[in-house]
Amino acid sequence: MDRKRNRSRMGFEAFKSSQDNLLFEMEFLAEDSMQEMIELQDLILGHLPDPEIFFPHDRDYFHKIFQHDRSVIGVKVEDRLAAYSIIRIPGHAQDNLGRDIGLVDDELDRVAHLQATVVHPAFRGNGLQRKMAATHLRVIRDLGFKHVCCTVSPKNPQSLANIICSGLVIKDLRPKFGDWWRYIMYANLAWPKDLRETLERSEKAITCSDLLGQQALIKDGFVGFRTTMQPQGFVVFYAKNAVD
Ligand SMILES: CC(C)(COP(=O)(O)OP(=O)(O)OC[C@H]1O[C@@H](n2cnc3c(N)ncnc32)[C@H](O)[C@@H]1OP(=O)(O)O)[C@@H](O)C(=O)NCCC(=O)NCCS
């Protein structure tokens, strides 16, 4: 598909960074961007403070992702890829995250995953993850899906804060991908715009490294809905959810 048509048919947004006036251009990517995505993925893998933060994807995986229209968003700076976001429609696959949060079988077809996001280390701090998530959530809504899920490592506070800010809450916490712990994040697109108004007032703060403490809260019906950095570490706030 030629690039101009791609932009006009599927949406294109340009914005400037706050500090150094860089021009970011956000657009949906076609499969001919795969090589650049793999190179960016390789680069960020080399910069991870802990390898378990990010589960990498191979060529075959990306190829399948590209079979769905608007599944890949890229942000470019001077025509070079600075960030990307991918969504995935898991259908009834075993790794549909709806299974982890107890969705019934009939609902699994209505699940979309925010699957992965990377931002080049040189362009972090410009809210690119949140911007791409907002666009992908609009796509997911537009496609008629009801449930949005994704995973985030408890060792990844930046991503956790961004995903919560995008409207998802922590619904579960468990080992995934072998023994890598993951929050299972969830939003029901039928939820009211500000979910916080539906949460019960009594909230509990807990550090994100306290995995068992958080599991106990979740078992008791709490969801994680806010984060903050405090002297004792990165803290997650949990409250009881009044909607499903
Ligand atoms: C998670 C990630 C996508 C967030 O990037 P981003 O959208 O640029 O992050 P934000 O704009 O929200 O950054 C907020 C702040 O956190 C800082 N920050 C962002 N990512 C950071 C990281 N990995 N390590 C340390 N600080 C980071 C930013 O510099 C910024 O600081 P500032 O407020 O002092 O300027 C990016 O860190 C990344 O690509 N990480 C590796 C891959 C990954 O973990 N993906 C998510 C799971 S799929």
Side-chain angles (χ1 to χ4, degrees):
M1 186 183 307
D2 87 57
R3 192 149 164 237
K4 267 204 185 116
R5 224 181 90 219
N6 197 19
R7 285 181 170 188
S8 56
R9 191 165 71 84
M10 303 203 270
F12 171 81
E13 193 186 331
F15 46 92
K16 290 203 163 170
S17 66
S18 43
Q19 315 99 344
D20 35 19
N21 231 20
L22 286 171
L23 182 67
F24 293 110
E25 297 182 291
M26 183 161 75
E27 65 191 68
F28 293 101
L29 300 181
E31 192 159 358
D32 59 3
S33 296
M34 192 200 291
Q35 182 56 32
E36 229 189 327
M37 291 170 68
I38 288 172
E39 284 166 19
L40 182 56
Q41 177 181 259
D42 287 347
L43 184 139
I44 69 105
L45 287 174
H47 282 78
L48 293 176
D50 184 324
E52 80 171 61
I53 285 178
F54 185 80
F55 189 86
H57 300 110
D58 61 18
R59 225 166 253 285
D60 190 42
Y61 190 94
F62 282 125
H63 172 69
K64 289 192 187 118
I65 292 286
F66 275 112
Q67 303 316 302
H68 287 273
D69 199 20
R70 297 184 287 178
S71 288
V72 184
I73 292 173
V75 176
K76 295 188 175 177
V77 177
E78 292 175 355
D79 232 22
R80 296 194 60 186
L81 194 63
Y84 69 77
S85 162
I86 64 182
I87 55 174
R88 176 164 164 257
I89 312 306
H92 280 258
Q94 211 39 51
D95 65 345
N96 185 320
L97 294 168
R99 297 183 196 277
D100 295 284
I101 57 167
L103 290 184
V104 296
D105 227 46
D106 281 355
E107 290 293 301
L108 296 179
D109 278 333
R110 306 179 78 187
V111 173
H113 289 178
L114 291 175
Q115 193 71 30
T117 305
V118 309
V119 176
H120 188 297
F123 302 111
R124 290 185 185 160
N126 290 291
L128 296 184
Q129 182 178 19
R130 263 169 289 145
K131 279 203 166 69
M132 292 188 291
T135 302
H136 256 155
L137 286 170
R138 279 198 296 275
V139 170
I140 290 169
R141 195 182 286 274
D142 193 41
L143 291 170
F145 289 95
K146 179 181 172 195
H147 309 288
V148 184
C149 298
C150 72
T151 62
V152 177
S153 164
K155 295 180 178 178
N156 197 349
Q158 291 85 14
S159 188
L160 180 61
N162 285 334
I163 294 295
I164 285 183
C165 193
S166 302
L168 284 74
V169 295
I170 297 172
K171 254 307 223 186
D172 201 359
L173 174 61
R174 57 173 68 193
K176 299 280 283 180
F177 318 126
D179 59 355
W180 292 359
W181 282 78
R182 287 294 186 265
Y183 292 115
I184 314 295
M185 313 290 301
Y186 173 70
N188 182 326
L189 293 177
W191 274 348
K193 208 162 180 203
D194 193 350
L195 179 73
R196 269 161 249 193
E197 285 171 14
T198 69
L199 294 171
E200 284 182 9
R201 288 279 153 237
S202 58
E203 53 184 48
K204 294 186 192 291
I206 182 165
T207 54
C208 66
S209 55
D210 183 354
L211 302 177
L212 298 182
Q214 291 176 92
Q215 274 191 319
L217 284 175
I218 291 164
K219 202 163 167 225
D220 202 20
F222 284 77
V223 296
F225 70 99
R226 185 155 60 86
T227 61
T228 183
M229 184 52 90
Q230 289 191 354
Q232 72 269 34
F234 197 73
V235 166
V236 184
F237 290 85
Y238 282 81
K240 285 213 173 173
N241 196 2
V243 295
D244 355 285

